[in-house]
Amino acid sequence: MNLSDNIIDIKGIGEKTAASYKKLGIDTVDELIHYYPRSYKTYTQPVTVSQTAEGDRVAVFCKIVTYVDTHKGRRYTISSLSAADSTGSIRMVWFNMPFIRNQFHKGDSFVFYGTIKYKGNMRVMEMPEYFTQFNYQKTMSTMQPIYPLKSGVTNNSITRSIRAVVDVIRAVPEYLPADVISEKKLMTEAEAIHEMHFPKDEESLKNAIRRIAFDEFLSFLIRIRKLREETVSEPNTHKLTKEAVLKKDAFIAGLPFELTGGQKAAVDDITSDMNSEYVMSRLIQGDVGSGKTIVAAIALLMNSLSGYQGALMVPTEVLAVQHYEDLSKLFKPYKLKVCLLTGSMTLKEKRAVYEELKSGECDIVVGTHAIIQDKTEYKSLGLVITDEQHRFGVKQRERLEQKGNFPHVLIMSATPIPRTLAIILYADMDISVIKELPSERKKIMNCVVGTDYRPSAYSFIKNQVKEGHQAYVICPMVEDNEITDAENVINYSDDLKEKLGDQVRVSYLHGKMKESEKNDILHRFINREIDVLVSTTVIEVGINNPNATVMMIENAERFGLAQLHQLRGRVGRGSAQSYCIFINVKKSRESEERLKVLEESNDGFFIASEDLKLRGPGDFFGIRQSGDMDFKVADIYNHADMLKLAQDISLDYGEDLQGKIIM
Ligand code: ADP
Ligand code: MG
């Protein structure tokens, strides 16, 4: 079997399975072996029942003391039994698994593995896994890969399929010179891929991840180098007019605030780039709340007043709508036509915008990736801006750049990348940094508290609302699959309505809502028709409501620090004092230590570096989950040494390697 073979050729994979795998982006053996686990499960030494506490994920060795009871509940068939050791008992519960009754007999002993919950005084484990003692001992010494899944594909199925092509993995050819491998103590690519799927132990898994990270960095660097070669010497055919530059000064003078030093410097950089011999390719880096949007607006204004079209691309529809509305207001006096283009618009609506872009009637378009789809043609695209761009891949950027006659490119990012790494990662760009926040801002006040503080938090929110302010509440995440995120958000907000009373208008937002519903809710929140917005993390990126002064985050311990920092960045955006309340539900020492970093600092750079230091030993993948950059495994902080190595190698061997690396 070969890397390029279709997975249908693997024993055990039929048409149906292959179709499900396709949804995961797996068509070939090559794609299968590069489909890495999301995390690993290690089964821990069993503890006694009395040692367990709410929320613990544990194994217990217990004897079954009742018969299996099966009855129909409202939504599920529920099977349960009681199991006990000498220190206490636990009720084991399974949903929609009536056949489970055949597995268990009174008097038998099993190891049960799951999360402890309390129902009244009773300990409960829902959907526990169960093992014979012998099998559990065997499993305990291994790390079980957990793959990201979609319906129709199980973890076991992926494990089995990968096992079937283990010979192909072993034969993956090494593209790096042998002396580099030995000198840098790298695993071979074949070894590393094998370890990712079947890790021997933590140490060797870490080495495997390092090697895969290296591969990802290298292929990324080679690609952006090509991008740079193509664009860097592209002549600038979209120069600014003198008039446009002058009007920009008047626009800035008319703003309700003075630009910060960093904003002014960024605007100067952009102005001189857009007037230079070659096209602009610039990254604007600034922490959340540093005021990047207005800098983008100024660039769009100058560009359009010079007679060219501009495009602003953002990662979510909700953010697109917000930017669209803000820009429409700002540019009204200039008679510039701003259009919105998002995936959820009707075909008819989209067609109208396509027409206007093609004819040149539309001056500025704001939207999601819809603005780079093939159907979108521009009359004279002069400037492309991506906001919160780390959510966009290099590929999308390449496509966007091909849309026009090499338009100027501006990227806005809040990702706090240290300068030394930014220079490598954005080798194809110049960089402006906005260091300071607007001076009128008061420092956000933070507190990390337990669940017993909830009543005080609610009455605090009530008072802030009385004073005319608004609040966000980020809902706890659901564990297991008893209820969906959506149901959870709805339940929480119902509960909150009751607690806050009729005077406070509570509403909710979650990812499963239609885009139009989401936009409507957000609209009303920004127009102050909603006081408290209960939400999942869908509001994480970019949303701006300067009148919101409280951010309350449930289950704060379950988020990465970088993500918490982004969430907190939704408040403290106006002149009023803002507050962030982190509810630490599972108060482990580790989570307390991590959250303390946020309590003490509002600085994105500091938080990113502390996050790195505090990561637990089992936390192999770090913040890659936050969607940063393009990488599946590589983490720019954690693998900074691999990034630097990839940089060196790409300089030494780049030409030779180009054809050999999977892109
Ligand atoms: P981010 O950098 O996170 O994208 P925004 O551009 O959304 O931040 O700006 C956040 C808020 O700060 C907005 O309400 C904006 O109007 C305001 N703002 C931007 N620049 C300044 C400034 N120089 N002084 C005061 N407020 C500003
Ligand atoms: Mg922003």
Side-chain angles (χ1 to χ4, degrees):
M1 192 162 280
N2 291 307
L3 284 173
S4 56
D5 286 348
N6 196 287
I7 49 164
I8 199 115
D9 297 334
I10 298 173
K11 227 181 119 214
I13 296 191
E15 299 270 344
K16 219 171 139 197
T17 315
S20 307
Y21 275 45
K22 203 181 169 74
K23 283 191 211 131
L24 298 171
I26 308 173
D27 266 319
T28 62
V29 172
D30 192 32
E31 281 156 356
L32 174 67
I33 68 174
H34 288 99
Y35 195 75
Y36 302 128
R38 154 170 72 75
S39 61
Y40 298 85
K41 182 144 118 192
T42 30
Y43 290 90
T44 43
Q45 195 75 38
V47 295
T48 62
V49 172
S50 64
Q51 281 172 324
T52 65
E54 171 126 48
D56 288 354
R57 209 167 174 80
V58 288
V60 289
F61 182 55
C62 285
K63 188 188 254 176
I64 295 171
V65 294
T66 62
Y67 293 106
V68 179
D69 172 75
T70 302
H71 68 271
K72 273 211 176 326
R74 221 161 17 108
R75 277 183 297 171
Y76 309 106
T77 304
I78 300 168
S79 308
S80 64
L81 57 81
S82 286
D85 64 12
S86 59
T87 68
S89 71
I90 303 182
R91 192 82 191 160
M92 307 290 169
V93 181
W94 290 270
F95 303 105
N96 285 345
M97 292 175 70
F99 48 85
I100 204 120
R101 66 183 314 150
N102 305 319
Q103 315 278 327
F104 299 112
H105 302 103
K106 208 168 150 184
D108 288 353
S109 290
F110 284 91
V111 175
F112 294 94
Y113 179 88
T115 305
I116 296 282
K117 277 192 185 170
Y118 273 92
K119 296 263 157 83
N121 275 334
M122 186 168 60
R123 285 183 173 89
V124 176
M125 253 190 206
E126 285 170 359
M127 304 292 281
E129 295 171 64
Y130 49 93
F131 304 82
T132 61
Q133 197 174 23
F134 177 76
N135 278 342
Y136 193 76
Q137 289 299 331
K138 258 199 335 204
T139 329
M140 228 167 60
S141 53
T142 63
M143 296 171 73
Q144 306 292 321
I146 307 204
Y147 294 94
L149 300 171
K150 282 205 176 122
S151 84
V153 186
T154 65
N155 211 54
N156 270 340
S157 153
I158 295 196
T159 308
R160 247 184 291 125
S161 307
I162 291 176
R163 222 178 267 285
V165 294
V166 100
D167 289 341
V168 185
I169 295 181
R170 294 221 170 87
V172 168
E174 182 55 58
Y175 66 85
L176 278 179
D179 51 331
V180 174
I181 298 260
S182 65
E183 193 188 320
K184 302 296 176 189
K185 299 199 173 60
L186 292 176
M187 270 185 182
T188 63
E189 193 181 2
E191 274 178 281
I193 296 171
H194 187 271
E195 272 306 296
M196 291 298 286
H197 297 292
F198 310 106
K200 277 196 277 300
D201 52 46
E202 288 193 1
E203 200 46 43
S204 91
L205 175 60
K206 273 205 179 125
N207 280 331
I209 291 175
R210 251 165 61 88
R211 169 61 207 250
I212 305 284
F214 170 84
D215 292 339
E216 286 185 349
F217 285 140
L218 187 60
S219 103
F220 174 82
L221 291 179
I222 289 177
R223 199 143 106 222
I224 57 171
R225 164 110 47 84
K226 245 177 88 207
L227 200 64
R228 171 152 199 119
E229 275 162 11
E230 280 164 19
T231 53
V232 76
S233 51
E234 236 3 91
N236 177 5
T237 54
H238 306 107
K239 284 200 183 157
L240 299 175
T241 61
K242 276 210 185 80
E243 201 196 343
V245 176
L246 287 177
K247 278 198 179 153
K248 163 209 74 173
D249 293 334
F251 174 80
I252 293 174
L255 289 173
F257 45 73
E258 176 154 7
L259 293 185
T260 64
Q263 286 172 318
K264 279 184 196 152
V267 170
D268 287 347
D269 289 342
I270 291 167
T271 312
S272 93
D273 283 358
M274 290 176 87
N275 262 333
S276 79
E277 288 307 303
Y278 303 108
V279 294
M280 168 169 74
S281 189
R282 183 170 288 279
L283 166 73
I284 308 286
Q285 197 186 32
D287 207 345
V288 276
S290 61
K292 295 182 290 296
T293 312
I294 195 70
V295 174
I298 292 167
L300 286 167
L301 180 69
M302 287 194 291
N303 176 66
S304 286
L305 290 178
S306 302
Y308 309 109
Q309 290 172 300
L312 174 60
M313 180 157 81
V314 297
T316 65
E317 297 213 357
V318 161
L319 191 54
V321 172
Q322 180 161 43
H323 278 346
Y324 163 72
E325 284 172 359
D326 289 349
L327 292 182
S328 300
K329 245 179 261 155
L330 278 173
F331 295 158
K332 205 159 185 197
Y334 299 89
K335 306 248 171 343
L336 293 175
K337 175 142 194 196
V338 184
C339 299
L340 178 70
L341 185 59
T342 62
S344 73
M345 281 163 52
T346 64
L347 202 58
K348 200 171 153 210
E349 290 169 328
K350 278 186 219 168
R351 278 211 192 109
V353 179
Y354 293 145
E355 282 301 310
E356 292 184 352
L357 283 171
K358 203 170 160 189
S359 70
E361 199 181 317
C362 164
D363 298 295
I364 292 160
V365 64
V366 183
T368 51
H369 59 276
I371 65 174
I372 57 166
Q373 270 152 9
D374 291 337
K375 288 191 201 106
T376 335
E377 283 175 54
Y378 295 85
K379 178 155 185 259
S380 60
L381 184 60
L383 169 66
V384 169
I385 305 182
T386 65
D387 190 18
E388 312 287 349
Q389 99 89 28
H390 58 282
R391 303 281 163 143
F392 288 106
V394 179
K395 260 199 203 119
Q396 286 161 306
R397 216 166 85 204
E398 285 166 349
R399 253 175 98 178
L400 197 41
E401 280 164 34
Q402 288 153 8
K403 280 280 164 202
N405 192 6
F406 282 101
H408 299 293
V409 172
L410 194 58
I411 287 176
M412 327 294 282
S413 169
T415 311
I417 306 171
R419 191 158 183 87
T420 49
L421 301 184
I423 288 170
I424 304 176
L425 285 165
Y426 292 96
D428 55 333
M429 320 214 90
D430 299 306
I431 304 176
S432 308
V433 181
I434 304 179
K435 282 214 179 71
E436 68 276 66
L437 297 183
S439 58
E440 59 168 85
R441 300 276 169 80
K442 298 194 177 71
K443 242 179 115 254
I444 297 173
M445 283 163 75
N446 303 295
C447 65
V448 179
V449 291
T451 49
D452 50 353
Y453 187 79
R454 268 187 204 133
S456 322
Y458 295 152
S459 67
F460 183 75
I461 288 176
K462 211 169 163 174
N463 282 334
Q464 286 286 305
V465 170
K466 251 187 219 143
E467 287 173 27
H469 293 301
Q470 291 161 284
Y472 297 92
V473 179
I474 304 300
C475 216
M477 284 182 277
V478 278
E479 213 177 312
D480 305 324
N481 294 323
E482 311 140 58
I483 59 167
T484 63
D485 275 323
E487 288 173 310
N488 187 41
V489 167
I490 296 168
N491 291 346
Y492 193 100
S493 81
D494 283 347
D495 210 38
L496 199 59
K497 262 178 215 157
E498 215 163 276
K499 294 210 166 83
L500 294 179
D502 293 343
Q503 304 295 310
V504 180
R505 295 160 300 176
V506 180
S507 198
Y508 60 83
L509 198 65
H510 60 73
K512 289 275 150 59
M513 285 162 82
K514 280 210 212 99
E515 289 299 333
S516 57
E517 282 179 276
K518 276 193 230 169
N519 293 337
D520 179 53
I521 293 283
L522 209 76
H523 221 114
R524 284 168 41 211
F525 184 58
I526 288 165
N527 288 336
R528 307 189 184 185
E529 290 161 30
I530 292 169
D531 301 310
V532 178
L533 186 61
V534 178
S535 170
T536 56
T537 53
V538 288
I539 55 111
E540 177 191 340
V541 181
I543 297 303
N544 186 41
N545 178 359
N547 189 50
T549 53
V550 186
M551 168 62 72
M552 172 173 173
I553 305 173
E554 289 277 0
N555 276 120
E557 78 282 0
R558 292 213 222 154
F559 294 96
L561 289 185
Q563 201 180 3
L564 289 171
H565 181 61
Q566 260 291 336
L567 284 169
R568 171 169 62 188
R570 295 314 110 217
V571 296
R573 300 173 85 83
S575 52
Q577 177 64 52
S578 286
Y579 307 86
C580 189
I581 305 166
F582 300 99
I583 306 282
N584 184 6
V585 174
K586 196 180 167 196
K587 289 186 178 164
S588 68
R589 201 166 54 93
E590 185 212 320
S591 70
E592 238 148 60
E593 213 173 310
R594 270 163 29 88
L595 293 176
K596 216 153 102 207
V597 174
L598 290 168
E599 195 167 23
E600 281 164 10
S601 172
N602 289 326
D603 172 4
F605 272 92
F606 175 75
I607 289 163
S609 69
E610 287 302 297
D611 197 18
L612 181 59
K613 283 189 222 152
L614 289 173
R615 284 209 202 119
D619 196 0
F620 300 105
F621 292 125
I623 59 161
R624 81 183 171 124
Q625 266 105 351
S626 75
D628 262 38
M629 313 303 288
D630 247 355
F631 310 119
K632 283 198 278 187
V633 166
D635 171 334
I636 49 179
Y637 303 101
N638 221 346
H639 305 123
D641 58 335
M642 288 294 108
L643 178 56
K644 288 185 185 128
L645 180 62
Q647 164 83 339
D648 293 344
I649 300 280
S650 77
L651 293 176
D652 291 351
Y653 301 89
E655 298 286 301
D656 302 345
L657 294 176
Q658 226 177 88
K660 296 186 197 164
I661 295 177
I662 331 140
M663 302 258 185

